Amino acid sequence: MGRALVLGGGGVTGVAWELGLLAGLAERGVALDEADLVVGTSAGSVVGAQVCSGVPLAQWYAAQLRPPREEVPARLGLGVLARWAWAGARGRDAARARVGALALAARTPSEESRRAVIAARLPVGGWPARRLLVTAVDAASGEFVVFDAAGGVSLVDAVGASCAVPGVWPPVTVGGRRYVDGGVRSPVNADLAQGCGQVVVLAPTRAAVGPMPRLSVQVAALRAAGARVAVVSPDRAARAAIGRNVLDPTRRAASARAGYAQAGAVADEVARVWRA
């Protein structure tokens, strides 16, 4: 059945926290980068591509501790969140389409400039040999989309789409369609690990708006199908390090260190599932 690593969304601080946690767990002998399947949503798509690259986790963690010169500061403000909540007060596809419409109408940086930022985060231009699923949402229809190596979409565009936070970053054009953040459907999308026997979920945020599938429901379904599942979210110290703006790159190093420190507290729980 295989082992799955599910990496949820959470902005630049979510990338940092996940990489810190992964590096800390690896040092304790819990090698989550050996997963048979990696599922990445938004920030998790960046980490997923890095995890599957073959580059040691310690190097990715060290990169998070350096000054974030390449990152563009942004804010997921209350106004954007309020519009998401308003748009989400409908059926699932309709809600996602309304969020997509907000994204299409928003004033954002250009697609080209954002693509350069995403490309700088990735280890290589192509898809890794390991199975990697990257989530996104069609901005026009609200359809949930999963990109992979077989789909003919470049890894940069797939990750860019998954990270296209509505109202903050531009939707990404792929094959004449435009796509936004996979977190519009679910901040984690853990149900894509269905069929795996061991699943570890790293969820920088569990928040779900309106009709979004709840992580607790996704995890219950995985367990009902026979999977062993461990879920890790930021502890109190990590939440303090992350702060209120997950798109603030100045919080990156502190978030990474907090994830690295938290690994010590969760290593045994995660190892029991991973080594089962």
Side-chain angles (χ1 to χ4, degrees), residues 6-263:
V6 179
L7 300 160
V12 294
T13 57
V15 170
W17 175 80
E18 288 180 349
L19 286 170
L21 186 65
L22 288 166
L25 288 170
E27 284 198 3
R28 291 165 174 82
V30 187
L32 298 185
D33 57 338
E34 295 177 353
D36 302 294
L37 168 68
V38 178
V39 178
T41 293
S42 197
S45 70
V46 175
V47 178
Q50 294 174 342
V51 163
C52 294
S53 69
V55 176
L57 286 169
Q59 291 187 29
W60 293 120
Y61 171 62
Q64 294 298 307
L65 305 181
R66 295 195 286 269
R69 297 186 181 91
E70 78 284 2
E71 293 289 350
V72 179
R75 174 172 287 279
L76 189 59
L78 292 177
V80 172
L81 292 173
R83 291 195 295 273
W84 283 19
W86 169 79
R90 297 281 292 275
R92 285 181 178 173
D93 283 350
R96 294 197 291 265
R98 290 180 71 175
V99 174
L102 291 173
L104 291 169
R107 297 181 62 181
T108 65
S110 69
E111 280 194 60
E112 293 76 13
S113 64
R114 181 61 179 162
R115 193 179 195 277
V117 172
I118 297 298
R121 294 175 178 172
L122 303 183
V124 291
W127 287 84
R130 187 167 308 171
R131 190 173 180 223
L132 171 64
L133 304 181
V134 174
T135 68
V137 167
D138 187 305
S141 68
E143 178 188 2
F144 179 56
V145 177
V146 180
F147 296 116
D148 63 13
V153 176
S154 74
L155 181 61
V156 172
D157 287 336
V159 172
S162 193
C163 293
V165 180
V168 178
W169 304 121
V172 171
T173 304
V174 177
R177 307 291 297 180
R178 302 194 74 193
Y179 297 92
V180 295
D181 198 320
V184 171
R185 188 259 185 177
S186 163
V188 184
N189 294 302
D191 50 335
L192 294 181
Q194 193 74 36
C196 291
Q198 297 131 279
V199 182
V200 173
V201 179
L202 305 189
T205 177
R206 301 188 186 203
V209 178
M212 281 184 176
R214 271 33 181 191
L215 175 58
S216 59
V217 174
Q218 296 175 351
V219 169
L222 291 171
R223 288 175 173 154
R228 300 190 64 167
V229 184
V231 179
V232 184
S233 290
D235 59 14
R236 179 180 294 183
R239 292 194 299 271
I242 289 168
R244 295 187 176 183
N245 180 15
V246 299
L247 301 179
D248 182 359
T250 66
R251 293 273 188 171
R252 195 173 74 175
S255 301
R257 291 189 180 97
Y260 184 84
Q262 188 178 349

